[in-house]
Amino acid sequence: MITLSDALHNFIDGLAIGASFTVSILTGFSTSTAIVCEEFPHELGDFVILLNSGMSIPQAIFFNLLSALSCYVGLVFGILLGSNFAPNAIFAIAGGMFLYIALADMVSLIPLSEEDNKMIIMYGQRHGIRVSCQGLLMIVYFLNIWYCNQIGLRNPLKWLFDEAKVIFF
């Protein structure tokens, strides 16, 4: 089960890398660097889980490499889809999947003891997620203003909403 979910995760990583290389070389390398930094501890964790499930070291390496090969399949699809369609749609799908993993899987794994006040912890989790999303939106907003100033656009919000219409409508 962990090998299949890791293969799907690596496929989406490959989609994001392929689509980002269709945008520009710099975007492709920055996306690749971010994904490598995320994947290294992830693959080590998967390797340990496979070892603890009773596999031998060669078997765990084989299944870990087998699931990692799906990244190359995703890379090919990302390049093909990113060059023929809007790569921003691929970024939206990949980002949505990563947010879903973070919100649905990780938040539910935070342990609660009996003496903890569950409402305070739930409020803290929700507040942390809200502040993180607001921070991401602020980064996107100010990067959008900076980018529009670089290319000489007067109304950066109009450009952002025009791009959103291309992605979602």
Side-chain angles (χ1 to χ4, degrees):
M1 187 60 146
I2 191 158
T3 307
L4 291 177
S5 63
D6 190 34
L8 177 65
H9 177 90
N10 289 333
F11 179 78
I12 299 295
D13 285 343
L15 273 176
I17 291 171
S20 63
F21 271 109
T22 62
V23 172
S24 73
I25 298 294
L26 179 65
T27 305
F29 279 121
S30 63
T31 303
S32 299
T33 303
I35 288 177
V36 164
C37 291
E38 179 264 334
E39 278 298 316
F40 182 70
H42 181 224
E43 294 300 327
L44 282 177
D46 289 343
F47 181 71
V48 170
I49 290 171
L50 291 175
L51 284 178
N52 286 337
S53 69
M55 288 187 179
S56 66
I57 291 176
Q59 286 176 330
I61 290 173
F62 173 74
F63 281 108
N64 214 2
L65 287 176
L66 187 66
S67 69
L69 289 177
S70 66
C71 183
Y72 294 111
V73 177
L75 177 72
V76 170
F77 277 109
I79 290 172
L80 292 175
L81 292 174
S83 60
N84 294 329
F85 302 105
N88 291 336
I90 295 172
F91 296 147
I93 292 168
M97 186 185 118
F98 295 140
L99 282 175
Y100 171 76
I101 290 169
L103 295 176
D105 293 339
M106 303 310 267
V107 170
S108 65
L109 294 177
I110 298 173
L112 296 175
S113 63
E114 290 300 321
E115 61 269 359
D116 289 337
N117 190 345
K118 292 183 173 56
M119 290 302 288
I120 292 173
I121 291 176
M122 185 181 70
Y123 174 75
Q125 290 174 350
R126 302 250 194 290
H127 182 67
I129 291 168
R130 183 177 58 82
V131 168
S132 300
C133 290
Q134 287 174 339
L136 289 173
L137 287 173
M138 293 300 292
I139 289 170
V140 168
Y141 176 73
F142 287 116
L143 282 177
N144 182 38
I145 290 174
W146 174 81
Y147 178 72
C148 288
N149 287 335
Q150 295 295 317
I151 63 173
L153 288 177
R154 297 266 184 218
N155 190 353
L157 286 178
K158 181 182 181 317
W159 178 80
L160 181 66
F161 290 127
D162 289 343
E163 286 293 316
K165 287 178 189 172
V166 169
I167 295 171
F168 296 113
F169 301 112

